[in-house]
Structure formats: C-alpha cells, structure tokens
Amino acid sequence: VTPVWCCGFECGVVGHMFVLAGAPTFSTTPVRSGLRSFRCNASGAAVTARSPAGVSGQQTANAVGVPRCYLRFASLPSGNTLLLDSTYVNSCGLWFNASDSKLYCRSNGVNGLTGIAVTTDIWYLVDMRFTIDATSLLVTVDGKIDGADLGSAGPGAHGGAGGEWRFGVVAAVTAD
C-alpha cells in the first residue's frame, strides 16, 4: 500500500503545495484527470512549487522517497533543467537535457546513463525513487517514465539540507 499525502493538482487546492519561484497556475485545459493540472509556464525564470512532504530523516537516518506524477510539455524547455527534485543543495532528481530532448535521473549534478526521449502534448507517468544514506550523505536516484527504466544516477553527495519534493521548471529557461 502506498500512502497518498496529496491528491495531486487535480482538485486545484493550493494548500497541497507551496510556491517556491515564479507564478505557477492551475489550468483547466489540458488535464489528465480531474478538473485541473499544474502549469509552469516559464519565460526565462524558474517556476516551481514544493510539497510539504518528502524524504523524511534525510540527515539522521537512511530514507527512501518515492514521488510519482504525470508530466506534459506544451513546449519543451529551451535549456537544461531539473523538473522534479528533492531540493537538496546538489542537483538530485529528474533532469531534462535540451540537446537530446531526453529525461534522465540526476545525482550531484551527474546524469545517469539512460535517457528517455520526450516530446510535446503527451502525458508521461514519472516514478522516481530517492535512496538516502545518512551516514555518507549520498543519494541514489532511480526512475521510470511510463514504465521504461531511466536507470540510476549516483550515489552522489546531496550537499545537505532539503528533502522536500519540488515540481516545475527549476532553471531559468523558457518552457510550458
């Protein structure tokens, strides 16, 4: 059984997430299910929100965090950016690589070996797994897109502080 701490963005309740950067909005079209989707229409600046939950105990105990979401691009990001991460100091999460239009797992600024190509106007199921070793302060990031394996990145140093899920366009790029 997987506990669900947030219904997603379908209900349009802002309280499930906290805005970190820019002005993310709820959109009534397109939606995957429910009445709304979360839109990050970035114009050269970060547009993100973070969850009130994430990887607990990242500094004092070993931990595993497993976020899941659906992702759709109206336009692909104009540059490299994280799209889902664990807010650690070092880049750990789902990485969009602009040169090949692929998604990768990323840990401590290093991409995993396997990327999955993405395009516009398709909903992608994103499953990520963050495994934290509190003794060594290392994080390994594993992921799947629509069930296809993204491989693994890490273990890499997470840099301390963090552990909450951040969704959106993290870098100063243009995307929707």
Side-chain angles (χ1 to χ4, degrees):
V1 175
T2 301
V4 177
W5 53 265
C6 175
C7 71
F9 303 105
E10 297 91 346
C11 70
V13 175
V14 178
H16 290 308
M17 305 295 271
F18 303 99
V19 173
L20 278 178
T25 60
F26 288 106
S27 178
T28 57
T29 180
V31 297
R32 195 194 76 72
S33 67
L35 300 175
R36 295 169 187 82
S37 60
F38 182 68
R39 183 176 184 202
C40 295
N41 188 5
S43 297
V47 179
T48 63
R50 72 170 172 81
S51 74
V55 182
S56 61
Q58 78 277 8
Q59 299 295 332
T60 59
N62 294 334
V64 174
V66 186
R68 170 183 256 193
C69 66
Y70 282 88
L71 177 65
R72 179 188 172 276
F73 299 97
S75 64
L76 295 176
S78 62
N80 299 336
T81 186
L82 282 164
L83 298 171
L84 184 162
D85 77 336
S86 54
T87 64
Y88 289 118
V89 173
N90 296 329
S91 302
C92 301
L94 180 65
W95 179 260
F96 176 81
N97 194 63
S99 66
D100 61 6
S101 297
K102 289 185 177 181
L103 297 174
Y104 292 87
C105 290
R106 189 171 179 90
S107 182
N108 192 23
V110 177
N111 290 348
L113 298 177
T114 306
I116 293 185
V118 292
T119 189
T120 58
D121 299 321
I122 295 174
W123 287 99
Y124 296 98
L125 173 60
V126 177
D127 287 302
M128 301 295 288
R129 179 181 175 95
F130 294 77
T131 306
I132 315 308
D133 181 319
T135 303
S136 62
L137 296 181
L138 297 179
V139 61
T140 300
V141 181
D142 301 288
K144 291 185 180 207
I145 303 295
D146 289 336
D149 197 1
L150 272 176
S152 184
H158 63 59
E164 297 174 317
W165 306 130
R166 176 172 50 178
F167 298 89
V169 179
V170 177
V173 299
T174 299
D176 190 13

